[in-house]
């Protein structure tokens, strides 16, 4: 299966000019490896305000790269008086095929709860978007055991989701302690989490969730990406900091294709 590489730019960079510069340099760098690059699915999730200009850049007739656009969040109501929020229709209209839901930074700083995440999931799926659902524990006391909270987050987010939507669900295991710290989980730890996540998803969505893509995220870099994606059970990576450096991101994408 083609590996899925997702770039989460978070609240970076600060101007549209810089954002376009990063995208343009990145596109130039991966052009040389065009033939190989088509074997992975690349999704770039910039801040909402850059989506429109990115869509235009990614749709140029010469762009043979299949780079998809994703949003970093979405609201659960479809329209109305919800100041500051962004709807599924708005992001679809701007060319997004994917949306990140439940990132730990939103859980932490915006007090997003499992219940709120569970309201966003079906709305995004119904709109035809692919969701990248993020789960992960704050601390791990026993390195040989994935904390129960990971299972609980998956179960809560997918509660009530229609089985027919299984093909549109991607789950990213992002242990909070590994995000932005330079200390990633071990590939074995990520594998254990992926097994638990798929098992939990299968309890809700049935056998079809057996091949549900599970990504790893947390301090992924060009130096360590290979260790994660060389495992069959890890279907790709969700990258923060390293995805803002075009050279580093291009290296990651190329190693996922080698
Ligand atoms: P870093 O790659 O910067 O650790 O961030 C991971 C992440 O939160 C991606 O969503």
């Amino acid at each position: 299966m083609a590996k899925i590489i997702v770039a989460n730019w978070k609240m970076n960079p600060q101007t549209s000019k810089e954002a376009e510069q990063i995208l343009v340099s990145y596109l130039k760098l991966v052009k040389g490896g065009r033939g190989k690059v088509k074997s992975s699915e690349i999704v770039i999730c910039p801040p909402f305000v850059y989506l429109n200009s990115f869509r235009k850049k990614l749709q140029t007739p010469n762009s043979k790269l299949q780079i998809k656009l994703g949003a970093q969040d979405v609201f659960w109501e479809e329209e109305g008086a919800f100041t500051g929020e962004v709807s599924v229709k708005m992001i679809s209209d701007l060319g997004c095929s994917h949306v990140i839901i439940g990132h730990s930074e939103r859980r932490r700083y915006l007090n997003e709860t499992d219940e709120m995440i569970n309201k966003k999931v079906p709305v995004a799926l119904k709109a035809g978007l692919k969701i990248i659902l993020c789960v992960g524990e704050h601390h791990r006391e026993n390195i040989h055991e994935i904390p129960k909270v990971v299972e609980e987050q998956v179960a809560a987010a997918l509660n009530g989701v229609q089985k027919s939507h299984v093909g549109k669900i991607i789950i990213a295991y992002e242990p909070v302690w590994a995000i932005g710290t330079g200390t990633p989980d071990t590939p074995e730890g990520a594998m254990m989490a992926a097994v638990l996540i798929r098992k939990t998803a299968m309890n809700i969505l049935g056998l079809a969730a057996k091949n549900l893509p599970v990504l790893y995220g947390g301090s992924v870099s060009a130096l360590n990406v290979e260790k994660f994606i060389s495992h069959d059970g890890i279907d790709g990576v969700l990258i923060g900091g390293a995805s803002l450096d075009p050279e580093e991101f291009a290296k990651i994408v190329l190693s996922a294709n080698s």
Side-chain angles (χ1 to χ4, degrees), residues 193-235:
V195 169
L196 177 69
I197 287 169
R198 271 191 210 97
K199 210 175 106 205
T200 312
M202 278 167 71
N203 286 340
I204 299 164
L205 300 169
L207 210 61
K210 201 171 144 220
N211 296 320
L212 186 136
V214 178
L215 316 182
Y216 168 72
S219 296
V220 172
S221 69
L223 288 177
N224 62 31
V225 64
E226 197 113 24
K227 286 198 286 182
F228 292 101
I229 53 177
S230 58
H231 281 272
D232 276 347
I234 300 176
D235 302 296

Side-chain angles (χ1 to χ4, degrees), residues 82-94:
F82 303 102
T83 303
E85 292 299 335
V86 169
S87 72
V88 283
K89 204 153 188 184
M90 290 172 187
I91 60 171
S92 301
D93 185 50
L94 287 180

Side-chain angles (χ1 to χ4, degrees), residues 8 10 103 105 134 174 178-181 217-220 238-242:
N8 175 11
K10 308 192 179 183
H103 193 279
E105 286 149 14
C134 298
E174 293 206 310
I179 296 179
T181 58
S219 296
V220 172
L238 174 54
I239 308 159

Side-chain angles (χ1 to χ4, degrees), residues 51-213:
L51 287 172
N52 198 29
S53 70
F54 275 38
R55 175 188 43 177
K56 288 180 191 146
K57 285 250 167 336
L58 294 175
Q59 277 178 348
T60 55
N62 291 333
S63 170
K64 294 238 166 65
L65 293 168
Q66 282 291 310
I67 296 180
K68 294 177 180 150
L69 207 51
Q72 295 177 15
D73 182 42
V74 75
F75 194 50
W76 62 76
E77 291 292 345
E78 291 183 23
E79 61 183 328
F82 303 102
T83 303
E85 292 299 335
V86 169
S87 72
V88 283
K89 204 153 188 184
M90 290 172 187
I91 60 171
S92 301
D93 185 50
L94 287 180
C96 289
S97 52
H98 291 66
V99 60
I100 295 174
I101 295 182
H103 193 279
S104 62
E105 286 149 14
R106 296 198 59 84
R107 294 179 192 255
R108 180 173 175 191
Y109 301 116
L110 284 304
N111 295 329
E112 251 187 45
T113 61
D114 282 339
E115 291 70 36
M116 289 155 86
I117 291 158
N118 181 239
K119 287 205 252 178
K120 294 181 177 192
V121 167
V123 175
L125 290 171
K126 201 177 117 209
L129 291 158
K130 278 198 177 180
I131 62 157
I132 302 159
L133 170 69
C134 298
V135 296
E137 78 280 6
H138 276 264
H139 309 284
R140 197 189 301 163
E141 269 149 37
N142 177 356
I143 54 158
H144 303 295
E145 203 180 323
I146 301 301
K148 215 168 159 45
V149 67
V150 172
E151 194 180 333
E152 287 164 3
Q153 287 172 348
V154 174
L158 298 184
N159 184 27
V161 165
Q162 288 175 23
K163 289 186 179 176
S164 59
H165 283 146
V166 68
K168 295 225 165 264
I169 302 171
I170 298 168
I171 300 185
Y173 170 61
E174 293 206 310
V176 180
W177 53 266
I179 296 179
T181 58
T183 309
D185 197 352
T186 58
E188 294 68 34
M191 270 299 294
M192 281 195 304
V195 169
L196 177 69
I197 287 169
R198 271 191 210 97
K199 210 175 106 205
T200 312
M202 278 167 71
N203 286 340
I204 299 164
L205 300 169
L207 210 61
K210 201 171 144 220
N211 296 320
L212 186 136

